[in-house]
Amino acid sequence: MCGIIGYTPAETNQGVIDVILDGLSGLEYRGYDSAGVAIADSSVSVFKREGELSELESAVPRDSLDGDAGIGHTRWSTHGPPTDANAHPHTDCHGTVAVAHNGIIENYRALRAELEAAGHEFDSATDTEVIPHLIEIALEQGADAETAFRRAIGQLEGSYAVVAVFSGLEGVYAARHQSPLVVGVGEDGYHIASDVPAFLEHTDRVIYLQDGQFATICPSGVEVTDERGSIVETSVETIAWEPEDAGKSGYGHYMQKEINEQPRAIRDCIRGRLSDLDGTVSIDELGGVGRPSAVHFVACGTSYHASLYAARLFRDRGVPAMAFHASEYDADAVPLDNEALVVGVTQSGETADTLSALRGANRAGAETLSVTNVVGSSASREADHVMYIRAGPEISVAATKTFASQQVALAMLSDALTDASSRGSVEALRALPDQIQSILDDSRARESADTYADADAYFFIGRGYGAPVALEGALKMKEITYKHAEGFPAGELKHGPLALVNERTPVVAVVSGESKSEKMLGNVKEVEARGAPVIAVTDSAGEVQSDVDDILRVPQTKPRFMPILANVQLQLLSYWTAHRLGRSIDKPRNLAKSVTVE
């Protein structure tokens, strides 16, 4: 949550404000209820505004504002409502230092009380504002800027990514602990940000900071040090993403673009991992991982739904497997032997609850694996093994192509670790990109959305492999339409939800002709008898034609892959419903892309 950007050019006064504002635009998916910038030269100029980034852009005098270094922040509120005063960056009493911060300072109340008792005045309700005042005290005690910054960071408890600029200094000072920061090494200057899209148009060369590390970027280069101040040798990696990957490419919304990128994303996910000759799946990153005695998946939100799907795959191959909400996972309370595998599924690789669950599993002695999209992320470093889903940058808050890529990656994982793959399975996996493209080309989801956009609520049902994707379909609908939506296994209808079904509650049923179709058809008839319209997402339209009001077709595939295809229709249904209702599709209210606090 929240986005940080910092920049210092190789030559002073070279478009700092433009780079900072453009960087914030690339990070707006991480928070968009307020934003601010601080530009440092002989003084520090700060501009902050409640609302989306456009409010800040209209308030900043681009033509007359520039300097030696700058920082910016786009906020997703935790401490204090979205207001101009609570927006970052925050300054000390004299305005000589400005700070932006992601995370939670757990001891800020005690620090603030001490600072106020010493005469410091606060303008906001945020936890962040204690940091510039702590720096101010160290400066008054004679410390230089870097030492003052370190002293302040040393007093913080909690999670943080912090950047600071000082009047009269050219550099940006940064530190991270359990909140991501990545340095961009460019020809024209140096960047630091929460995520790569903030500076991707300027450079694809990056240094990932690790917990406990400090970084200083200045016109002469980058210096990374540890908590003791010792120089840390770092490697510069090259990101495979292209700048246009983070743009809309002519689509109306990032979400629409990313839905349409799913064929390409899945091709990248399976590339080099399938053998047509012997029908096997081979994942090079998993060298040394054998068949586990049990698998625990830990995840949040959309990734949790992918984990439910994966757990079913493993159980059907004879391996005990469960999916846990990462925030509820207690490795000490769940039996784990030395052959068990704990899999953290996280798109960003920075999801705080998932990282906490992985750390608990590591302490308990379990083998750990991260399934993530971001190279160099915290999850990729903290687990024993990592499998990348290769979906490319995803900007819309509502996950689409990353969910599809997670499904495919986890399907391959189950085949690889249980030796259950076959030529038929490999062929079905290879066919998925073209099958998804056919759905994108022919879907009637927009017509269905127009028909049912005024509904009071939506229910999504499925059985077997279809149950997790029903949950995901409901999540997408509620995220971007703000309509009430529920997803559950179809067999649960009679155990409560049926009381809510009426003619204004469409029921979206995931119906596979090869998997429990008779029971699903019985559930369809139950809701039909209560007057509810039924939309079937199905690979066997002929079997359900007479029992439903609308059909969204998917191609025939193996039953365990059918939900991957069905998911695309559900995404389109939610997207076009939100479009019809005029919602903020890429930036739904109260939500942010990467949840980096517990």
Side-chain angles (χ1 to χ4, degrees):
M1 298 182 292
C2 304
I4 281 175
I5 178 70
Y7 175 66
T8 183
E11 298 181 13
T12 59
N13 292 296
Q14 294 293 312
V16 172
I17 186 59
D18 290 332
V19 173
I20 294 297
L21 288 175
D22 290 346
L24 288 180
S25 178
L27 290 174
E28 204 173 4
Y29 64 94
R30 296 180 67 94
Y32 38 86
D33 58 32
S34 57
V37 296
I39 305 298
D41 49 22
S42 59
S43 61
V44 176
S45 302
V46 177
F47 294 85
K48 308 190 293 183
R49 287 294 183 273
E50 173 189 351
E52 296 191 0
L53 181 60
S54 57
E55 298 296 325
L56 174 67
E57 289 175 325
S58 64
V60 172
R62 284 199 188 211
D63 294 339
S64 59
L65 179 66
D66 218 333
D68 302 324
I71 59 175
H73 188 270
T74 182
R75 183 172 184 246
W76 189 88
S77 299
T78 55
H79 291 67
T83 64
D84 289 357
N86 287 334
H88 300 210
H90 295 287
T91 61
D92 63 324
C93 292
H94 305 294
T96 58
V97 57
V99 168
H101 157 246
N102 292 346
I104 299 289
I105 306 302
E106 296 174 356
N107 61 333
Y108 87 96
R109 290 185 179 86
L111 292 172
R112 179 164 177 156
E114 293 175 6
L115 289 162
E116 288 178 328
H120 290 261
E121 296 182 358
F122 286 75
D123 297 320
S124 78
T126 69
D127 54 341
T128 303
E129 197 178 358
V130 300
I131 303 174
H133 290 283
L134 292 173
I135 294 172
E136 179 185 5
I137 289 176
L139 291 173
E140 290 174 346
Q141 293 171 346
D144 60 24
E146 181 179 354
T147 302
F149 182 74
R150 286 181 174 275
R151 285 184 189 173
I153 297 300
Q155 298 177 67
L156 306 181
E157 297 175 6
S159 62
Y160 51 79
V162 180
V163 293
V165 290
F166 294 78
S167 60
L169 296 179
E170 295 178 340
V172 177
Y173 298 82
R176 74 153 280 176
H177 178 66
Q178 298 180 3
S179 190
L181 278 178
V182 57
V183 174
V185 181
E187 294 183 1
D188 298 326
Y190 299 89
H191 310 253
I192 192 161
S194 303
D195 206 351
V196 172
F199 53 72
L200 190 57
E201 66 177 283
H202 298 283
T203 182
D204 59 0
R205 302 175 65 232
V206 302
I207 299 169
Y208 291 100
L209 297 186
Q210 299 185 25
D211 281 352
Q213 291 184 340
F214 291 73
T216 303
I217 61 172
C218 59
S220 60
V222 181
E223 183 179 84
V224 179
T225 56
D226 62 19
E227 292 170 309
R228 297 182 301 276
S230 301
I231 300 293
V232 175
E233 294 297 325
T234 58
S235 59
V236 179
E237 301 182 30
T238 300
I239 294 294
W241 301 346
E242 297 294 334
E244 56 266 25
D245 291 340
K248 291 183 183 178
S249 302
Y251 288 96
H253 299 90
Y254 284 111
M255 183 179 181
Q256 185 185 24
K257 170 179 176 276
E258 288 154 7
I259 290 172
N260 280 273
E261 286 177 337
Q262 289 177 122
R264 191 272 306 159
I266 291 176
R267 287 191 183 95
D268 287 346
C269 183
I270 66 178
R271 188 183 65 249
R273 292 167 167 170
L274 303 179
S275 172
D276 297 296
L277 184 63
D278 56 9
T280 58
V281 176
S282 178
I283 303 170
D284 292 342
E285 304 101 301
L286 301 184
V289 180
R291 182 184 177 99
S293 61
V295 183
H296 293 174
F297 292 93
V298 291
C300 305
T302 287
S303 297
Y304 173 70
H305 298 152
S307 297
L308 288 171
Y309 170 70
R312 178 92 186 200
L313 290 168
F314 273 91
R315 290 196 300 271
D316 284 353
R317 286 156 176 75
V319 177
M322 294 182 65
F324 296 83
H325 290 286
S327 58
E328 296 295 321
Y329 186 69
D330 184 351
D332 295 326
V334 182
L336 289 169
D337 61 40
N338 57 10
E339 294 183 352
L341 180 67
V342 177
V343 182
V345 185
T346 160
Q347 180 277 134
S348 67
E350 304 292 347
T351 308
D353 288 317
T354 305
L355 290 173
S356 178
L358 281 172
R359 292 170 185 140
N362 284 331
R363 289 193 299 270
E367 191 169 21
T368 55
L369 164 69
S370 292
V371 177
T372 185
N373 192 40
V374 180
V375 176
S377 60
S378 296
S380 71
R381 295 194 304 269
E382 297 202 15
D384 298 319
H385 311 276
V386 60
M387 179 182 183
Y388 293 110
I389 67 172
R390 305 172 179 170
E394 186 176 68
I395 306 302
S396 179
V397 168
T400 52
K401 67 175 179 178
T402 53
F403 178 64
S405 297
Q406 285 173 340
Q407 288 177 295
V408 172
L410 292 168
M412 290 191 295
L413 180 69
S414 70
D415 279 355
L417 296 188
T418 62
D419 296 321
S421 58
S422 65
R423 285 191 177 88
S425 178
V426 167
E427 289 172 0
L429 284 165
R430 285 209 185 277
L432 287 173
D434 288 340
Q435 290 177 320
I436 290 175
Q437 189 61 57
S438 72
I439 295 171
L440 295 170
D441 291 341
D442 301 328
S443 176
R444 293 189 63 261
R446 185 169 191 172
E447 290 81 354
S448 298
D450 288 342
T451 301
Y452 303 110
D454 294 329
D456 293 336
Y458 299 85
F459 295 95
F460 293 75
I461 59 174
R463 284 181 176 269
Y465 292 116
V469 83
L471 297 177
E472 175 62 14
L475 178 62
K476 283 294 152 289
M477 185 66 78
K478 69 182 71 173
E479 279 181 320
I480 64 170
T481 71
Y482 312 153
K483 292 271 193 173
H484 176 71
E486 282 191 56
F488 40 81
E492 290 298 301
L493 266 173
K494 293 184 289 293
H495 300 280
L498 204 57
L500 299 176
V501 170
N502 60 43
E503 66 278 0
R504 292 188 56 80
T505 57
V507 176
V508 183
V510 180
V511 184
S512 172
E514 298 183 21
S515 178
K516 300 185 178 181
S517 60
E518 289 302 320
K519 290 184 179 180
M520 274 298 301
L521 290 176
N523 299 135
V524 166
K525 290 183 180 296
E526 289 171 351
V527 297
E528 183 186 42
R530 274 76 182 175
V534 179
I535 305 168
V537 181
T538 183
D539 56 4
S540 54
E543 293 187 25
V544 300
Q545 187 84 46
S546 61
D547 297 306
V548 302
D549 299 274
D550 210 343
I551 291 177
L552 298 176
R553 291 175 170 83
V554 301
Q556 287 279 346
T557 185
K558 288 186 173 295
R560 66 181 181 276
F561 299 145
M562 186 269 185
I564 299 173
L565 303 177
N567 171 60
V568 180
Q569 291 283 24
L570 299 181
Q571 292 170 348
L572 291 167
L573 181 65
S574 295
Y575 173 81
W576 288 116
T577 302
H579 187 276
R580 172 67 181 268
L581 296 170
R583 304 300 193 224
S584 177
I585 292 175
D586 287 330
K587 296 177 286 187
R589 68 188 182 200
N590 303 330
L591 301 179
K593 183 69 176 173
S594 180
V595 183
T596 56
V597 294
E598 295 182 73

